[in-house]
Amino acid sequence: MTSSEASTQRIPPFVSLGSARAFVAPAIARDHSVNHTASVAKATGMAGVSRETVAAGRNVLDSIDDSSPIARELAHENKRRERLLGRELPKPEKTRIFTVSNQKGGVGKTTTTVNIAAALAAAGLNVLVIDIDPQGNASTALGIEHHADVDSIYDVLINDVPLQDVVAPCPDISKLICAPATIHLAGAEIELVSLVAREQRLRRAIDVYAKERAKNGEERLDYIFIDCPPSLGLLTVNAFCAASEVLIPIQCEYYALEGLSQLLKNIEMIQKHLNAELVVSTILLTMYDGRTNLAAQVAAEVREHFPEQVLGAVVPRSVRISEAPSYQQTVMTYDPSSSGALSYLEAAAEIAER
């Protein structure tokens, strides 16, 4: 099976991802899904629905009594999917370059990067992910090789290797490419110190790559997402200098608010001394747990302080999102019917339409 065929099977075009019925086939492709659907039916008063009926692709939501909490949640998700149905995402006037950053670790930077990139690429937009985190988690999630022998973004920054020689296509999603990270990046902070124009090396590499694509008759990149390590070293500074927008994922917990204020001060310094065009355009609330008051309070406080930047979409805590990287996939291809995939589709649509 070719990569394009796998892409078509695993994740349909964005414009068809709104229908609850469109999600029945991917769900039953996994052995456990029919049992799961049957258990949901039983919990919502539909124990009489046969496995054959479910497998035939009928919409279980049509018959569910919405008096139960599970049924209400399913009905709400169905309405959200219907709002996405038929939506075509516009191409930006020029390439939008995002740095996905937060100095606090574990807030969902990499997960946000790869899933929003996957959602936009599924919509037919040309997307590049640049992984500058030495852990290489974004490369793993996209199924890109990033062992020590692979040319990576380290070679671009330190050895002036052209970016076009480093990028590799994502095997699951067409129009999505990735510049991988390797363990060599762990020492790049020290090696960059002595190099000329050390803060601008990534920006220059991206500019050269854009010109090469145009020269070769390739389509222009619509989006570039740079996945940063949880620190403000020279790697992250390079990302800030290369980007025009900052996307900040914020975990819905108290410590995230402290980290946000420190991050904004550092971005202000970058704007003042290195990149006046940089703006914090997007904030995404992640790991939201609606059962806790704390999550709601953090979300409300962030929205109060940043009413224009915070996306309406909120990413919940999701087992599916956590499982996907272990299969070297994004949640968009691993389980497109999950609530996590739906939330990232909504976030990608908001970003594209801003």
Side-chain angles (χ1 to χ4, degrees), residues 99 199-200 203 236-244 270 274-275 278:
T99 287
E199 299 94 351
Q200 306 288 340
R203 180 173 189 166
T236 304
V237 170
N238 261 271
F240 282 140
C241 291
S244 54
I270 298 292
L274 295 171
N275 184 5
L278 187 67

Side-chain angles (χ1 to χ4, degrees), residues 28 68 71 80 160 195 212 226 235 240 246 257 264 268 274 285 290 315 321 337 341:
I28 64 173
S68 69
R80 291 165 60 195
D160 294 321
L195 298 181
E212 284 297 318
I226 307 172
L235 290 175
F240 282 140
V246 181
L257 296 177
L264 292 175
E268 191 175 326
L274 295 171
L285 298 171
V315 180
I321 292 176
S337 65

